[in-house]
Amino acid sequence: MLLSWIQRTAARTAGSRAPLYSGGRRGLFGGGQAPEGTSTTRRVIKRGAVLFAQATATWYVYGLCVDGVKTHVLQGTRFAASSTSGSSGDSVLGAEVARLQAPKTIPHADGRTPRPAYCGDTAQPMHERMEALVLDQQDRLVAALESLDTSSKFVRDRWEREDGRGYGITCVLQDGAVLEKAGVNVSVIEGTLTPGQLKSMRDRNPQMAAALRGTEEYEFRVAGISVVVHPRNPYAPTAHENFRRFEVHRKGDGAGKPLLAWFGGGADLTPAYLFDEDVRHFHGTLKTACDAHDSAYYPRFKAWCDKYFAIAHRGDETRGVGGIFFDDLEDKQPEDLFRFVYDASSAFVSAYVPLVARRMTTPYTQRHRDWQLVRRGHYAEFNLVYDRGTKFGLMTPGARIESILMSLPLTARWEYMSSPTPGSPEDALLQCVRTTRDWVATK
């Protein structure tokens, strides 16, 4: 039935590449304005797209769960040094980089921004201080990223939950000369934990399993920042940052002391092309932030990151070259953990943004662009299939889907039977993400 529907649709639209309506340059999905009388058509199209996506996703996830399945049969792709035919694969795509100029200074990248007053205000509730922290970090990172291309600005979208239980500020930049897509999101929300969310918490943490009894209802409160940056230049790495504080109360007891409270987060790097000095700088900066609080944090959180970002259906491949990751962190006093989270989140600007500035003007070819898009495809696979934050968000009633899926790249590529040429720069990256390395000790 699904196949016949696809065939009928393809037959009707064969030879036409026009958008469904032409009120904007990107048609239906790009924010163009629809002419009058199209609301019913849009609902039909949207419903059809949802049904198609659900059916496709069901078969895709089923395939990933089949023991011994060959992943390349499901999504496969082929990439090699000669994957682009003719001379176009080696022609320099220099139009957008020729006019770019890396900034001489990057706001907040020198690590000298003083700690704000909320860091030491112990009289203020911890949840309110975490809210202040994520809003502060959002403003700093937006300023740092906008310094890379003064012609592009983030769009700030403040939203409120329909039930009145929280808000968020989504800052997004799309189609910039330097940043193809970047999102810096803050969420400060509360709600009732669903059975699925409770099960996930109990399954991963014995302490939570003991505290969260099956017969009671629980409410949560969370303040967090989530960041994903996808640069346009294939030599500039993608990066992700997320820091949050989560607390759980018995239903109706939100004003009292939390039953459970913890911090989580981390930062990781996902390059398409490997530059050892870039990865060492990223890891070294995060290690310095960790060592200021506990010398055991960096090796512990680095190993946790390598394990967490594994793409299981691709065997031994990880999403990128790692960084730090932690969750359910409550091994110290809340004040100590809050200061650590502040320092670790503040370090992201100096760990990452200078890398984009370093690579943003490097000329590249269509071959490099194609490989970047293939790697973005793997990035999207992890986020949609495994990422804990994405799953939690999609299970939350009243969740804002656009903000949750902000992490996905603007463009990606799935070719069949990807196989980089042995010894090529693409192969070097692939071999790197199939192993773990001590980036701080490696010289």
Side-chain angles (χ1 to χ4, degrees), residues 290-343:
C290 290
D291 287 351
H293 298 268
D294 190 326
S295 60
Y297 270 179
Y298 172 76
R300 175 185 166 193
F301 297 159
K302 192 266 187 190
W304 201 341
C305 185
D306 291 336
K307 181 178 180 180
Y308 177 79
F309 286 106
I311 306 176
H313 62 270
R314 291 193 173 276
D316 53 0
E317 182 180 322
T318 58
R319 190 174 75 173
V321 294
I324 61 172
F325 175 87
F326 59 92
D327 206 357
D328 306 334
L329 189 63
E330 51 180 352
D331 61 346
K332 300 182 186 299
Q333 292 298 314
E335 287 298 325
D336 295 332
L337 294 176
F338 181 80
R339 285 191 290 270
F340 162 66
V341 168
Y342 174 84
D343 287 346

Side-chain angles (χ1 to χ4, degrees), residues 178-237:
V178 177
L179 305 178
E180 187 168 348
K181 184 179 180 184
V184 185
N185 290 358
V186 160
S187 296
V188 183
I189 63 173
E190 58 186 64
T192 301
L193 289 169
T194 66
Q197 290 169 331
L198 285 168
K199 182 180 184 303
S200 177
M201 291 179 177
R202 294 181 182 121
D203 288 349
R204 79 168 190 261
N205 189 315
Q207 181 182 353
M208 291 183 187
L212 303 176
R213 300 172 184 174
T215 57
E216 295 189 44
E217 289 187 291
Y218 299 92
E219 297 182 328
F220 72 91
R221 181 183 293 159
V222 61
I225 181 170
S226 179
V227 178
V228 177
V229 184
H230 296 288
R232 184 174 298 278
N233 194 307
Y235 289 115

Side-chain angles (χ1 to χ4, degrees), residues 5-70:
W5 179 81
I6 294 172
Q7 290 171 334
R8 290 195 304 271
T9 303
R12 287 196 302 267
T13 59
S16 173
R17 298 298 296 272
L20 293 175
Y21 59 80
S22 57
R25 68 182 179 89
R26 297 179 203 149
L28 178 62
F29 300 105
Q33 299 299 313
E36 294 182 4
T38 61
S39 59
T40 301
T41 303
R42 292 180 65 183
R43 285 196 297 270
V44 172
I45 293 170
K46 182 177 181 181
R47 180 58 179 164
V50 169
L51 291 173
F52 176 76
Q54 289 174 340
T56 304
T58 299
W59 282 105
Y60 182 77
V61 174
Y62 172 79
L64 297 183
C65 295
V66 174
D67 186 35
V69 71
K70 291 184 180 296

Side-chain angles (χ1 to χ4, degrees), residues 162-398:
E162 291 183 0
D163 59 8
R165 306 190 68 183
Y167 73 95
I169 301 175
T170 300
C171 295
V172 176
L173 191 158
Q174 289 188 158
D175 279 327
V178 177
L179 305 178
E180 187 168 348
K181 184 179 180 184
V184 185
N185 290 358
V186 160
S187 296
V188 183
I189 63 173
E190 58 186 64
T192 301
L193 289 169
T194 66
Q197 290 169 331
L198 285 168
K199 182 180 184 303
S200 177
M201 291 179 177
R202 294 181 182 121
D203 288 349
R204 79 168 190 261
N205 189 315
Q207 181 182 353
M208 291 183 187
L212 303 176
R213 300 172 184 174
T215 57
E216 295 189 44
E217 289 187 291
Y218 299 92
E219 297 182 328
F220 72 91
R221 181 183 293 159
V222 61
I225 181 170
S226 179
V227 178
V228 177
V229 184
H230 296 288
R232 184 174 298 278
N233 194 307
Y235 289 115
T238 286
H240 159 256
E241 171 194 30
N242 179 291
F243 291 94
R244 62 198 173 276
R245 181 179 180 272
F246 202 101
E247 59 185 43
V248 177
H249 299 259
R250 287 187 175 88
K251 191 166 186 176
D253 191 28
K257 182 179 179 181
L259 180 65
L260 294 169
W262 66 89
F263 291 90
D268 59 283
L269 195 69
T270 307
Y273 287 91
L274 186 64
F275 295 94
D276 284 7
E277 62 270 28
D278 290 2
V279 187
R280 291 190 193 116
H281 169 82
F282 186 82
H283 278 264
T285 304
L286 295 179
K287 182 179 185 299
T288 297
C290 290
D291 287 351
H293 298 268
D294 190 326
S295 60
Y297 270 179
Y298 172 76
R300 175 185 166 193
F301 297 159
K302 192 266 187 190
W304 201 341
C305 185
D306 291 336
K307 181 178 180 180
Y308 177 79
F309 286 106
I311 306 176
H313 62 270
R314 291 193 173 276
D316 53 0
E317 182 180 322
T318 58
R319 190 174 75 173
V321 294
I324 61 172
F325 175 87
F326 59 92
D327 206 357
D328 306 334
L329 189 63
E330 51 180 352
D331 61 346
K332 300 182 186 299
Q333 292 298 314
E335 287 298 325
D336 295 332
L337 294 176
F338 181 80
R339 285 191 290 270
F340 162 66
V341 168
Y342 174 84
D343 287 346
S345 59
S346 298
F348 182 77
V349 171
S350 52
Y352 174 63
V353 181
L355 303 183
V356 181
R358 180 185 298 171
R359 306 297 174 189
M360 59 185 267
T361 59
T362 305
Y364 60 91
T365 69
Q366 187 63 50
R367 164 189 161 185
H368 304 127
R369 175 66 170 167
D370 287 349
W371 175 247
Q372 177 194 43
L373 298 184
V374 167
R375 295 306 304 169
R376 284 184 181 172
H378 292 206
Y379 191 99
E381 290 172 23
F382 175 87
N383 283 24
L384 292 174
V385 178
Y386 304 109
D387 185 68
R388 188 183 299 168
T390 301
K391 288 182 178 181
F392 183 90
L394 295 177
M395 287 191 295
T396 301

Side-chain angles (χ1 to χ4, degrees), residues 104-172:
K104 295 181 179 179
T105 60
I106 298 171
H108 310 293
D110 59 4
R112 298 178 182 177
T113 304
R115 284 182 177 175
Y118 63 76
C119 281
D121 186 3
T122 57
Q124 188 178 14
M126 183 61 76
H127 180 73
E128 294 180 8
R129 294 166 66 192
M130 189 65 189
E131 178 181 359
L133 184 153
V134 297
L135 291 170
D136 184 23
Q137 297 292 353
Q138 182 182 50
D139 288 341
R140 295 187 196 183
L141 188 52
V142 166
L145 292 172
E146 286 184 342
S147 74
L148 298 172
D149 179 9
T150 56
S151 66
S152 301
K153 299 294 181 182
F154 279 81
V155 174
R156 287 180 177 262
D157 178 17
R158 182 185 173 96
W159 50 268
E160 305 280 343
R161 280 175 58 103
E162 291 183 0
D163 59 8
R165 306 190 68 183
Y167 73 95
I169 301 175
T170 300
C171 295
V172 176

